[in-house]
Amino acid sequence: ELFEPKNCMRWVHPSLLQVLNQWQSGKKTDEEPTFQSFNVAIEGFKVEAPGIFSFPALTDEFCELLLQEVQHYRKSGLPSRAPNSMNNYGLVLNEIGMRPAFSAILKEVLLPIGARLFGSDEDRIKEVNGVAIESEDWGGSTLDDHHSFIVQYRPSDDKHLDMHIDECDVTFNFGITSHNNFEGNDLTFCGMFDSADHRKYHHTYKHVKGRCVVHSGKRRHGAMDIEKGERASLIMWTKSRSFRRTEAYRERNRKGLTYGDADRVCLSYTHDPDYKNLMPKKQQYHMKPREEGQAGNEVPLQTEKKWITVCPAADLSEGQSKLLNLKEENEQIAVFKHREELFALDNRCAHMGGSLCEGEIEDVGKENLGCSDSKATDGMVICPRHYMCFNLKTGENVEGDFTMKQKVYPVRLSSDGQHIEENPGVLHAERPFSWLCGIPNKVFATVPFALGICSFAIAFNIIFNHRHTRF
């Protein structure tokens, strides 16, 4: 039943179905109904905040059948991939034969809503029931493609979702779990990706079974920590291929992310290079509600400077790692052994917080030198989540991405040689920054390089003076 496109209207909430039927009945026999005639003021429609809206969308029957289908597929042992680059648990519905069904839902159910809220100037409304919507054209009138998937959150698995923007034009996010089944995990919305308030708090939304929250994909948002139970959502990332070909779209996306003042609840450990400077260490890599995480008068927690035993030396074999987890300080340090040497790095990957302690250890090799100062025989650890590679000695990304660098800690054998010790309160000195990608720091330190620069300057000065005297 779920796989049949012709059944799509069966799964629509009665309040929304009534408005859709009225809209469809108003069309002429030889014409498509115009979006201007669609009344988006559905019973239960709510302007959550400027540019963020919710409405009753799906029946309880559909939510339950969809969850059963996901569970059945999981038990079958058939292959599946992560829903997206940030969620590990869930299912891509397009890849299990449900793309036609959700294409029908997009065309018959969601397209008129997208047009009225995020469509062209002709289709987009200005207010609903006297409340201004304050939205913009994000191709809502011509949505014709989608990536539809289920995401699941549990305290033991994906506990939260870091702040981000979506790879789409308009996002439809449907609650499919009863709110009695979980605590926490509210959606928090911040500003648009290109606005000055990109990292400023806007709104908190609590999921309701069958209800949809819709917003521009380019609005920063994230899911707070789930405290208890399990929550699942159906998400449809929708796109307009024709809108994406316009110059207006290209120009707006060419600017990239805007950084500026930030509320802590809106900070991203994945995308913000100043995350660890702005977020107190105790709160890092957690997603706490605004009322818990925004206070600004707490005393920064300092890690005590002392040597701590990590493990017996015999327990750390070549090419292996051990984790030192300092829960009170909210700090994790991974200790590695490579070519009989010991190294210690911040365990949480600078990209998205993945555990480096679970990654593979290899030589950097000649192929991976990139823009960094790594040597071919240096060791590197490969993050298991997205395969980012970090030099064990320097903490640098071996591909030369200087926005991603791991903290480096001192590590040693105990005086009797029986244990491995680490001092989390001390960091190795920062290495000089290579400001020209492709030219390692060591190049600037060489005598030949310095002499070459001097020779060039002298030659340029002679030529310039010679030309000047001729005129």
Side-chain angles (χ1 to χ4, degrees):
E1 295 177 299
L2 291 175
F3 290 77
E4 288 293 334
K6 64 182 180 182
N7 291 336
C8 71
M9 303 304 284
R10 174 182 165 183
W11 315 121
V12 178
H13 189 279
S15 297
L16 176 55
L17 184 61
Q18 179 181 0
V19 173
L20 287 168
N21 287 337
Q22 291 173 351
W23 178 58
Q24 292 286 356
S25 64
K27 71 177 182 180
K28 299 178 182 178
T29 56
D30 58 345
E31 292 182 6
E32 287 294 320
T34 63
F35 294 129
Q36 290 92 328
S37 63
F38 179 80
N39 180 17
V40 78
I42 306 157
E43 182 180 353
F45 182 93
K46 183 179 179 182
V47 178
E48 297 283 345
I52 307 165
F53 318 99
S54 70
F55 58 92
L58 302 173
T59 63
D60 285 354
E61 180 189 16
F62 177 82
C63 296
E64 290 157 10
L65 287 174
L66 186 58
L67 277 177
Q68 290 173 15
E69 184 61 38
V70 172
Q71 293 166 0
H72 174 73
Y73 188 88
R74 285 294 188 195
K75 291 178 180 178
S76 71
L78 292 170
S80 63
R81 66 181 176 94
N84 54 60
S85 64
M86 299 184 73
N87 289 97
N88 293 313
Y89 297 90
L91 187 64
V92 180
L93 301 174
N94 288 5
E95 296 180 355
I96 65 168
M98 298 190 73
R99 174 180 280 277
F102 284 103
S103 293
I105 290 175
L106 173 59
K107 181 179 179 181
E108 303 297 333
V109 180
L110 302 180
L111 180 57
I113 297 173
R116 297 300 267 161
L117 299 177
F118 296 99
S120 63
D121 292 343
E122 294 77 20
D123 294 334
R124 194 171 69 256
I125 58 175
K126 299 294 187 293
E127 61 179 39
V128 177
N129 296 328
V131 181
I133 69 169
E134 299 183 45
S135 63
E136 303 167 295
D137 183 5
W138 281 102
S141 299
T142 50
L143 297 174
D144 58 359
D145 194 13
H146 65 91
H147 175 57
S148 299
F149 54 93
I150 296 286
V151 293
Q152 295 171 298
Y153 298 92
R154 305 180 194 90
S156 58
D157 298 322
D158 276 345
K159 186 176 182 178
H160 61 243
L161 182 61
D162 188 25
M163 284 289 163
H164 65 287
I165 60 174
D166 294 334
E167 178 43 48
C168 68
D169 301 324
V170 180
T171 298
F172 294 89
N173 188 331
F174 307 82
I176 57 174
T177 308
S178 170
H179 66 277
N180 295 319
N181 290 4
F182 64 93
E183 293 180 11
N185 215 211
D186 297 339
L187 277 182
T188 294
F189 290 95
C190 305
M192 292 294 290
F193 79 120
D194 58 349
S195 67
D197 66 351
H198 174 55
R199 302 195 297 177
K200 300 295 287 183
Y201 171 82
H202 279 222
H203 184 66
T204 296
Y205 174 81
K206 295 182 179 295
H207 273 285
V208 177
K209 184 178 181 180
R211 194 170 182 87
C212 176
V213 59
V214 55
H215 56 92
S216 166
K218 298 301 186 288
R219 179 175 294 280
R220 177 171 279 211
H221 60 288
M224 301 296 100
D225 289 344
I226 187 168
E227 302 300 336
K228 188 182 297 184
E230 178 178 334
R231 181 177 76 80
S233 285
L234 161 65
I235 297 177
M236 293 183 68
W237 285 353
T238 64
K239 301 178 183 180
S240 167
R241 285 173 283 196
S242 60
F243 175 68
R244 289 188 164 218
R245 289 193 293 267
T246 64
E247 181 58 33
Y249 177 88
R250 289 193 292 269
E251 178 60 29
R252 190 166 187 187
N253 280 272
R254 194 175 293 129
K255 300 176 184 177
L257 294 177
T258 298
Y259 297 98
D261 292 342
D263 292 327
R264 287 180 187 161
V265 73
C266 293
L267 288 171
S268 167
Y269 57 77
T270 304
H271 303 105
D272 293 344
D274 54 356
Y275 174 82
K276 289 193 174 182
N277 294 329
L278 298 178
M279 183 68 76
K281 185 163 65 172
K282 189 71 173 178
Q283 298 178 22
Q284 289 175 10
Y285 300 100
H286 296 288
M287 296 288 286
K288 297 298 182 183
R290 183 168 180 255
E291 57 272 18
E292 294 182 32
Q294 196 60 34
N297 57 355
E298 63 274 306
V299 178
L301 189 63
Q302 299 295 326
T303 304
E304 188 176 354
K305 296 180 180 181
K306 66 177 182 179
W307 290 96
I308 299 175
T309 298
V310 178
C311 66
D315 288 358
L316 184 58
S317 304
E318 175 68 21
Q320 299 298 311
S321 60
K322 291 289 183 180
L323 177 65
L324 177 63
N325 191 3
L326 304 174
K327 293 185 178 181
E328 184 64 27
E329 294 85 354
N330 188 28
E331 196 153 16
Q332 296 181 3
I333 300 171
V335 177
F336 306 91
K337 189 173 185 179
H338 176 261
R339 292 181 177 267
E340 299 303 319
E341 287 190 67
L342 298 174
F343 305 93
L345 300 177
D346 184 350
N347 180 57
R348 295 177 173 119
C349 177
H351 176 227
M352 285 182 61
S355 175
L356 296 186
C357 198
E358 300 173 10
E360 297 290 330
I361 301 171
E362 299 178 0
D363 283 344
V364 170
K366 295 181 179 179
E367 295 180 0
N368 296 314
L369 292 179
C371 302
S372 73
D373 281 352
S374 298
K375 299 177 182 178
T377 55
D378 285 350
M380 71 176 182
V381 59
I382 306 171
C383 180
R385 283 197 77 176
H386 301 101
Y387 309 107
M388 299 295 171
C389 302
F390 299 94
N391 186 304
L392 295 177
K393 184 182 297 184
T394 66
E396 293 176 346
N397 182 292
V398 299
E399 293 297 327
D401 185 342
F402 298 107
T403 65
M404 289 192 294
K405 182 177 180 179
Q406 299 300 116
K407 288 182 180 178
V408 180
Y409 298 87
V411 61
R412 71 183 186 185
L413 281 176
S414 59
S415 57
D416 61 4
Q418 298 300 306
H419 294 86
I420 295 173
E421 299 177 334
E422 201 281 323
N423 194 331
V426 177
L427 295 179
H428 279 318
E430 289 290 323
R431 293 167 59 83
F433 182 73
S434 286
W435 56 274
L436 289 176
C437 182
I439 304 180
N441 292 313
K442 59 192 175 187
V443 173
F444 295 99
T446 61
V447 173
F449 181 83
L451 291 175
I453 292 295
C454 292
S455 299
F456 177 82
I458 293 171
F460 179 83
N461 187 53
I462 292 173
I463 294 172
F464 177 83
N465 289 335
H466 178 66
R467 290 175 58 87
H468 182 73
T469 56
R470 289 180 60 188
F471 292 96

